Amino acid sequence: GTVLNIIIHIVDYGMSLENAMRAPRVINRLSGTELESELFTDTELREGLVKMQHQVVERRVTGNAQAIFFHQESGVILGESDPRGEGEALGY
């Protein structure tokens, strides 16, 4: 779910890798729809999920990732570390 959120933010919403890594996450693992309570401020989405009978579960942190992004057109390679946890993105 963590990786899917990052990919959706980049591909569908055109976010930079850094912004995609920092964006609030919504994950459904068949046991409720998890929202990161500290970061997720979209009350309209939260209310919409409840109206559609989703069991909304608030989580402090949802996942941790490290990412490397290859920009085909420019040849630039970017690395980004998730601010939610430990780790770093390195390349050589």
Side-chain angles (χ1 to χ4, degrees), residues 1-11 17 20-21 25 65 82:
T2 297
V3 173
L4 179 61
N5 271 254
I6 294 166
I7 291 170
I8 287 171
H9 283 114
I10 292 170
V11 174
L17 178 59
M21 294 288 277
R25 297 184 182 135
D82 195 329

Side-chain angles (χ1 to χ4, degrees), residues 30-89:
L30 301 177
S31 61
T33 301
E34 300 175 17
L35 303 177
E36 287 183 317
S37 56
E38 294 175 4
L39 299 174
F40 208 91
T41 58
D42 188 341
T43 56
E44 186 176 325
L45 177 60
R46 183 187 313 266
E47 291 168 2
L49 289 168
V50 170
K51 284 181 183 176
M52 291 187 295
Q53 300 182 355
H54 282 253
Q55 178 188 359
V56 176
V57 179
E58 297 203 17
R59 296 278 184 236
R60 187 174 155 270
V61 173
T62 304
N64 180 30
Q66 314 313 313
I68 298 174
F69 182 85
F70 299 90
H71 193 272
Q72 291 181 350
E73 294 165 5
S74 68
V76 172
I77 300 172
L78 301 172
E80 190 67 40
S81 183
D82 195 329
R84 293 165 179 80
E86 298 179 14
E88 57 187 321

